[in-house]
Amino acid sequence: MDSPEKLDKNSLVGINKSRLGVCGWILFSLSLLLMILTFPISIWMCLKIIKEYERAVVFRLGRIQAAKAKGPGLILVLPCIDVFVKVDLRTITCNIPPQEILTRDSVTTQVDGVVYYRIYSAISSVANVNDVHQATFLLAQTTLRNVLGTQTLSQILSGREEIAHSIQTLLDDATELWGIRVARVEIKDVRIPVQLQRSMAAEAEATREARARVLAAEGEMNASKALKSASMVLTESPVALQLRYLQTLTTVATEKNSTIVFPLPMNILEGIGGITSDNNKKVNAKA
């Protein structure tokens, strides 16, 4: 059996190129005669206005009249034998209500979305499906559940664009025979249980605290290395140590403190202590 892709386009939409036949021509002639006899009253009933964004699919004796829809502008519809259906070609918004989905990691979520589509073949949308908008709406719901059911919760939260693109591709392939072209699919909201939200918040907070501790430890290690390098430089140059003392004193003095601590080297204190002890010995000897 041939696949739908190999079938003739006219057979897909139910167009029959055979002639009307004897009865058909008789009815066509009678309808045309009725329109002429009732002219000009009939002209107002037979002329139909098709807007720029609309197309008309005309059925004559139950068969589609042409392989291409008519419009825009004025079209002629014969009385009694012609029936026409208007098709809107503008982009249509389809809101998908919240769908309860069980993800691959056994988490229950509610996801809603929106689908933007339009009809590019008016004849296919009329002849190949009963209600093209209802069919597209139900197919969008089913496709959303099927696609999200194969994803984990983290994939749904982080990969919305990829999931929306895959849903759009599946919908576009499925609705091609209906004359539908899906323009865009968007996932609006992902609702998860409150208890799971709290668990995810606690996990994220613990991860941030652990990262902060690691950063603090790395900072302490870098600071200790820098202090070690600075101490080695100051040890090589005693004058630099004195300059550092003066710089620290200047920094402390600019803060308007009432008490200023002036650091002195230990050798100076030892020298002062030695001089004081020698003077005390001399005074005692004189006495």
Side-chain angles (χ1 to χ4, degrees):
M1 183 178 180
D2 294 338
S3 60
E5 290 81 1
K6 297 181 180 179
L7 295 176
D8 185 70
K9 181 179 179 182
N10 293 334
S11 63
L12 285 176
V13 298
I15 298 175
N16 194 341
K17 291 186 177 180
S18 61
R19 297 181 180 180
L20 293 177
V22 178
C23 294
W25 281 110
I26 293 174
L27 293 175
F28 175 77
S29 301
L30 292 176
S31 177
L32 189 61
L33 180 61
L34 177 63
M35 185 181 67
I36 295 174
L37 293 177
T38 57
F39 186 83
I41 298 175
S42 60
I43 198 66
W44 301 107
M45 300 177 61
C46 296
L47 286 179
K48 304 296 180 182
I49 299 176
I50 305 301
K51 298 178 181 178
E52 182 68 29
Y53 55 84
E54 292 178 339
R55 296 296 182 270
V57 180
V58 180
F59 292 87
R60 178 163 294 171
L61 296 177
R63 297 176 180 178
I64 296 178
Q65 186 178 357
K68 184 179 179 182
K70 294 185 177 181
L74 288 175
I75 65 171
L76 180 64
V77 179
L78 297 179
C80 303
I81 64 172
D82 284 354
V83 177
F84 76 100
V85 179
K86 285 185 179 181
V87 178
D88 196 333
L89 302 184
R90 292 176 294 181
T91 300
I92 298 173
T93 304
C94 175
N95 288 316
I96 303 176
Q99 304 292 312
E100 190 169 351
I101 298 168
L102 183 64
T103 60
R104 194 174 65 183
D105 51 353
S106 301
V107 178
T108 303
T109 61
Q110 287 187 347
V111 182
D112 57 352
V114 59
V115 178
Y116 300 92
Y117 68 92
R118 67 180 183 88
I119 297 174
Y120 73 91
S121 176
I123 294 179
S124 298
S125 65
V126 173
N128 290 343
V129 63
N130 181 23
D131 188 344
V132 64
H133 300 295
Q134 182 68 13
T136 305
F137 175 70
L138 296 177
L139 182 62
Q141 292 185 19
T142 305
T143 306
L144 179 65
R145 288 195 299 266
N146 292 338
V147 172
L148 295 182
T150 61
Q151 306 290 328
T152 61
L153 180 61
S154 59
Q155 291 174 344
I156 294 174
L157 295 176
S158 60
R160 293 191 179 187
E161 293 184 0
E162 292 79 5
I163 294 174
H165 181 70
S166 63
I167 294 174
Q168 177 182 349
T169 303
L170 293 174
L171 285 176
D172 206 9
D173 294 339
T175 58
E176 183 178 1
L177 294 179
W178 301 345
I180 295 293
R181 179 170 289 118
V182 180
R184 190 178 183 86
V185 176
E186 291 290 343
I187 297 177
K188 294 196 297 184
D189 192 15
V190 179
R191 300 183 182 91
I192 58 178
V194 178
Q195 185 177 0
L196 183 58
Q197 292 180 12
R198 295 174 181 174
S199 301
M200 293 175 65
E203 181 181 359
E205 185 178 359
T207 303
R208 288 193 297 269
E209 290 180 356
R211 190 181 297 112
R213 292 178 181 177
V214 171
L215 292 176
E218 291 178 356
E220 292 290 338
M221 182 178 65
N222 295 332
S224 62
K225 290 181 180 180
L227 289 175
K228 180 181 178 181
S229 301
S231 63
M232 293 175 65
V233 173
L234 292 176
T235 302
E236 294 175 358
S237 177
V239 178
L241 182 61
Q242 298 296 329
L243 293 176
R244 182 60 181 167
Y245 286 160
L246 295 176
Q247 184 180 2
T248 304
L249 181 61
T250 303
T251 304
V252 173
T254 55
E255 296 179 358
K256 298 180 181 181
N257 292 329
S258 59
T259 303
I260 298 177
V261 179
F262 185 75
L264 293 175
M266 295 300 294
N267 54 3
I268 296 178
L269 295 177
E270 291 177 356
I272 294 176
I275 294 173
T276 304
S277 61
D278 292 340
N279 292 333
N280 290 333
K281 290 179 180 179
K282 292 179 181 180
V283 171
N284 294 330
K286 289 180 181 181

